Amino acid sequence: IGEPAKAGSGETGADLAAAQAGRGGAEGPVPLTPMRLPAETVISEDKLVRYLLVPQLRGDKSSFLRKGGYELSNAAHLLRDLHDQILPLDAIPLERNQFGQYYEIRGVLKGPLGAY
């Protein structure tokens, strides 16, 4: 749900949806060592309001998030909950490509309507 980490740039992000297949990229395999992403990791609000909270033909996540009480009208609440509840959990490196490093974080997200 975020921009990929930018190696060496100080900007990081988490791909919480982990939609990418495989564990390697153009730059080779990525070790599967869990890590914690920095507290200042950037989760793009634009990605929430233009992708995650908008119905998609493939890979739709908006219906799942809506069950937890998240909608476009409260995207800031989702952003805050992701930072507070999900970002502190272990992140598994996925693939690395020209855009940077992608991570998967699995956890329970407690939204306005409960845990999902």
Side-chain angles (χ1 to χ4, degrees), residues 5-113:
K6 308 281 191 233
S9 71
E11 294 182 1
T12 58
D15 183 320
L16 303 175
Q20 293 78 22
R23 299 283 180 185
E27 299 177 25
V30 177
L32 298 178
T33 306
M35 60 177 282
R36 298 282 167 99
L37 295 175
E40 60 274 3
T41 295
V42 175
I43 299 173
S44 169
E45 187 171 357
D46 188 56
K47 194 161 213 173
L48 298 180
V49 300
R50 299 178 108 213
Y51 171 66
L52 286 176
L53 294 172
V54 177
Q56 305 290 320
L57 293 176
R58 290 183 8 180
D60 179 56
K61 293 160 188 64
S62 65
S63 58
F64 173 78
L65 291 167
R66 198 169 20 266
K67 290 178 184 177
Y70 297 111
E71 298 184 27
L72 281 172
S73 62
N74 65 354
H77 192 156
L78 173 58
L79 187 61
R80 185 174 53 251
D81 286 351
L82 290 172
H83 269 284
D84 295 348
Q85 299 176 42
I86 302 299
L87 196 56
L89 302 175
D90 284 338
I92 304 291
L94 294 178
E95 70 179 46
R96 178 185 299 271
N97 62 24
Q98 72 269 23
F99 301 111
Q101 179 67 52
Y102 287 80
Y103 297 91
E104 173 183 272
I105 302 175
R106 291 184 180 238
V108 175
L109 181 61
K110 184 177 179 186
L113 298 180

